[in-house]
């Protein structure tokens, strides 16, 4: 396999890892409204991701850096054409990180409530916009012969991409509800199971519609196989959470996300950004990639660094593996 194809696969894996991990992060943030019924329960939900949320975001930084180094033309066209939505996502991620750190710095109720509101909105908005962004990448956007995006922000708000945004919101929130059930005890755990069941059904309806649309429009045998894996895994995740098997449900919801993202990349290949104006103007793994020497150096660096990062992050999750509940919140007011 040529190195530009290898790096296309590696970037797909990085996005799968990001959506798998940050997906339940976003879901927990969204569920701070609705699932939590008290200030103590909001603290419980936030504490479930407190030790890991910043590590999860590293996958996004790595995916962006890998795209910049391996496919500079893809990076340039993507970040210039999708400037406004990506800027909104970036601002949300910054505010969200500040909210996690600053929420408990002062005891006033208004102070904490405002930061909790920020956590909710800065989790919900990126969860939608990532689906909109990837929906447009797969569908194709207005790219001219100079590999430049010539569309507008309004062009990105098409029915297919909006449906993609609703799918990622529903799927991430379901993933977060399952994670909440896996990581908590008491009433909030019971409620998280009930939420997860409803959210799973919503994600199944929206996700099936989006994947069928994608398959009919651009799919092949590989994307069909990935779609079937996603559907079976999501059905299994819903069944597992109904049976109270949170661990199995979380694993299967993660497989659902992985298979769904893999399906999008399979429909994309060998393009990285199709042009809706002229297929010959599309960015591909060949015309958008860096030099073979650059890719070779990157491959050696990734071979050394990636196992270390995976080991460290796995150790972090192992250390913070225990469940928590309101009884572990010493002072719910501060």
């Amino acid at each position: 396999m040529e190195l530009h194809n290898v790096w296309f696969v590696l970037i797909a894996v990085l996005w799968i890892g990001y959506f798998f991990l940050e997906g339940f992060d976003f879901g927990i943030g969204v569920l701070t409204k609705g699932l939590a019924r008290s200030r103590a329960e909001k603290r419980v939900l936030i504490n479930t991701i407190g030790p890991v949320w910043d590590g999860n975001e590293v996958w996004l930084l790595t995916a962006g850096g890998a795209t910049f180094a391996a496919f500079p033309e893809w990076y340039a066209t993507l970040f210039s054409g999708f400037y406004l939505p990506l800027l909104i996502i970036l601002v949300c991620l910054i505010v969200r990180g500040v909210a996690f750190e600053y929420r408990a710095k002062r005891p006033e109720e208004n102070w904490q409530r405002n930061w909790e509101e920020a956590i909710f909105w800065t989790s919900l908005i990126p969860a939608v916009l990532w689906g909109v962004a990837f929906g447009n990448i797969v569908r194709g956007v207005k790219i001219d012969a100079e590999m430049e995006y010539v569309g507008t922000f309004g062009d990105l708000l098409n029915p297919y991409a909006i449906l993609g945004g609703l799918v990622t919101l529903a799927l991430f929130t379901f993933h977060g509800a399952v994670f909440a059930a896996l990581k908590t005890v008491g009433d909030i755990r019971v409620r998280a199971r009930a939420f997860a069941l409803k959210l799973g059904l919503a994600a199944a309806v929206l996700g099936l519609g989006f994947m069928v649309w994608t398959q009919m429009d651009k799919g092949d045998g590989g994307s069909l196989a990935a779609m079937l894996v996603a559907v079976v895994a999501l059905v299994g995740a819903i069944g597992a959470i109904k049976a109270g098997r949170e661990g199995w449900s979380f694993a299967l919801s993660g497989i659902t996300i992985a298979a769904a993202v893999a399906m999008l990349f399979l429909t994309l290949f060998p393009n990285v950004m199709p042009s809706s104006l002229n297929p010959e103007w599309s960015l591909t793994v060949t015309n958008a990639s860096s030099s073979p020497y650059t890719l070779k150096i990157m491959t050696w660096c990734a071979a050394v660094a990636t196992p270390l990062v995976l080991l460290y992050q796995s150790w972090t999750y192992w250390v913070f593996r225990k469940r928590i509940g309101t009884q572990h919140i010493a002072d719910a007011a501060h």
Side-chain angles (χ1 to χ4, degrees):
M1 182 183 293
E2 297 184 12
L3 284 179
H4 52 70
N5 292 336
V6 170
W7 274 97
F8 180 84
V9 173
L10 290 176
I11 288 171
V13 170
L14 289 172
W15 280 109
I16 288 171
Y18 174 66
F19 286 141
F20 176 87
L21 297 171
E22 192 83 316
F24 68 76
D25 264 13
F26 289 144
I28 291 292
V30 173
L31 289 169
T32 54
K33 279 191 182 226
L35 178 57
R37 293 182 178 176
S38 66
R39 306 303 299 282
E41 288 189 346
K42 285 189 177 183
R43 285 193 63 188
V44 168
L45 287 178
I46 293 171
N47 287 354
T48 61
I49 59 174
V52 298
W53 68 267
D54 48 355
N56 295 344
E57 287 188 357
V58 171
W59 287 77
L60 172 62
L61 300 176
T62 308
T67 304
F68 172 77
F71 299 100
E73 294 288 352
W74 183 14
Y75 182 92
T77 304
L78 176 65
F79 278 77
S80 60
F82 290 27
Y83 181 82
L84 183 56
L86 291 177
L87 177 62
I88 293 172
I89 291 173
L90 178 60
V91 171
C92 284
L93 294 179
I94 292 171
V95 174
R96 187 168 178 265
V98 173
F100 283 132
E101 298 297 333
Y102 274 53
R103 179 195 169 277
K105 296 300 183 182
R106 290 171 55 178
E108 292 89 346
E109 185 174 339
N110 284 341
W111 172 272
Q112 295 187 3
R113 184 183 295 114
N114 289 338
W115 286 120
E116 289 164 0
E117 194 77 15
I119 290 172
F120 170 77
W121 286 108
T122 56
S123 298
L124 184 146
I125 293 171
V128 174
L129 289 182
W130 280 127
V132 173
F134 270 85
N136 277 291
I137 291 172
V138 172
R139 174 178 175 266
V141 292
K142 294 180 179 179
I143 299 174
D144 64 11
E146 303 298 322
M147 296 185 180
E148 294 181 0
Y149 178 73
V150 293
T152 65
F153 177 71
D155 293 329
L156 303 178
L157 301 178
N158 55 78
Y160 177 79
I162 291 173
L163 177 58
L166 294 176
V167 170
T168 51
L169 176 61
L171 195 55
F172 290 169
T173 311
F174 168 67
H175 197 41
V178 174
F179 184 75
L182 179 65
K183 287 289 293 179
T184 58
V185 294
D187 292 341
I188 193 170
R189 177 187 179 189
V190 176
R191 244 178 289 127
R193 287 181 185 173
F195 265 65
L197 188 59
K198 296 175 183 178
L199 290 165
L201 295 174
V205 173
L206 292 169
L208 183 61
F210 180 75
M211 288 189 291
V212 169
W213 190 345
T214 304
Q215 180 64 28
M216 292 178 64
D217 189 33
K218 295 180 176 293
D220 56 15
S223 62
L224 177 61
M227 185 185 81
L228 294 176
V229 171
V231 170
V232 171
L234 183 55
V235 171
I238 296 171
I241 198 64
K242 186 176 182 181
R245 303 296 297 274
E246 295 102 337
W248 280 104
S249 183
F250 182 71
L252 289 168
S253 67
I255 292 173
T256 302
I257 292 174
V261 177
M263 179 189 180
L264 295 182
F265 275 91
L266 285 167
T267 59
L268 197 57
F269 186 82
N271 295 320
V272 292
M273 282 192 76
S275 173
S276 60
L277 299 178
N278 186 337
E280 295 182 359
W281 297 343
S282 298
L283 275 70
T284 69
V285 293
T286 303
N287 65 22
S289 69
S290 292
S291 66
Y293 181 75
T294 300
L295 296 178
K296 183 177 180 180
I297 296 299
M298 289 175 59
T299 303
W300 280 108
C301 292
V304 174
T306 303
L308 297 177
V309 173
L310 292 175
L311 285 172
Y312 174 76
Q313 194 160 23
S314 300
W315 176 78
T316 303
Y317 275 91
W318 175 256
V319 170
F320 295 101
R321 67 189 181 278
K322 292 186 178 179
R323 297 176 182 267
I324 60 174
T326 53
Q327 68 271 27
H328 300 114
I329 307 298
D331 182 359
H334 182 212

